[in-house]
Amino acid sequence: MDIKEKLEMEGLTPASFSKRVSAYSIDELIVSIIIFIAFFSQFQSLGDDIIAIVNFVNSIFIYLFLLKTAYHTIFIYLYGKTIGKMALKIRAVDIDTLDNPSLKQSFIRAIVRNFDEIFFCLGMLFALTNPLIQTIHDKVSKVVVIDD
């Protein structure tokens, strides 16, 4: 039985692309605020110098990458959803068990998601052509995002 049939049998529907984009935006805002607070004094010392701000953000890229990885791994593993997904009432589930993804799945999903962002979110566009609205990080980690 394929995942689409399994979801239908359980009365579950894939989350819409617009809900996923909205949840993504909320999560990005949360992570950005955390980074801004953590490095507030450094940002403040840069003033209005855009070039200096861009260079500084590039210099803290690894912290941003690690924070995003931890944020997505922990929330998806523990709750099946990030704060953005909670707000939009959607959740990520393992395609085999329809339960929260395992720690390994959550970590793989977070890492692939982060690398996808580096490459202009092209893997997220995959969701536009997929009937289950799965992104590349969903496919790789064997996860589907559903309405909660």
Side-chain angles (χ1 to χ4, degrees):
M1 170 184 327
D2 73 349
I3 183 62
K4 195 168 183 170
E5 291 172 353
K6 189 185 257 187
L7 289 176
E8 287 173 7
M9 281 181 55
E10 295 294 327
L12 303 171
T13 56
S16 69
F17 187 77
S18 61
K19 278 187 174 183
R20 296 203 57 188
V21 169
S22 297
Y24 171 88
S25 299
I26 291 168
D27 291 331
E28 287 299 304
L29 179 64
I30 289 167
V31 170
S32 297
I33 289 169
I34 293 168
I35 287 290
F36 183 74
I37 290 169
F39 293 98
F40 179 75
S41 61
Q42 291 91 331
F43 279 113
Q44 194 173 26
S45 70
L46 297 172
D48 294 335
D49 185 354
I50 299 298
I51 300 299
I53 292 169
V54 169
N55 287 334
F56 177 69
V57 170
N58 285 338
S59 74
I60 63 169
F61 171 78
I62 190 67
Y63 298 111
L64 184 60
F65 190 90
L66 293 172
L67 177 62
K68 284 183 172 191
T69 300
Y71 173 82
H72 286 278
T73 300
I74 292 165
F75 274 93
I76 295 297
Y77 172 64
L78 292 177
Y79 309 108
K81 44 188 146 181
T82 58
I83 295 170
K85 285 179 177 54
M86 288 176 196
L88 276 289
K89 297 183 180 182
I90 59 177
R91 65 186 284 237
V93 295
D94 177 307
I95 61 172
D96 293 324
T97 65
L98 299 181
D99 200 2
N100 290 354
S102 67
L103 183 59
K104 179 180 175 182
Q105 284 174 296
S106 300
F107 179 73
I108 291 169
R109 186 176 187 276
I111 292 290
V112 173
R113 181 185 183 281
N114 287 342
F115 278 108
D116 183 39
E117 285 181 8
I118 294 169
F119 294 104
F120 310 106
C121 299
L122 295 175
M124 292 182 194
L125 295 177
F126 182 71
L128 292 172
T129 62
N130 183 290
L132 295 174
I133 313 178
Q134 287 177 292
T135 60
I136 198 72
H137 54 274
D138 293 331
K139 289 292 267 185
V140 169
S141 61
K142 297 180 180 166
V143 166
V144 65
V145 178
I146 59 169
D147 284 323
D148 198 15

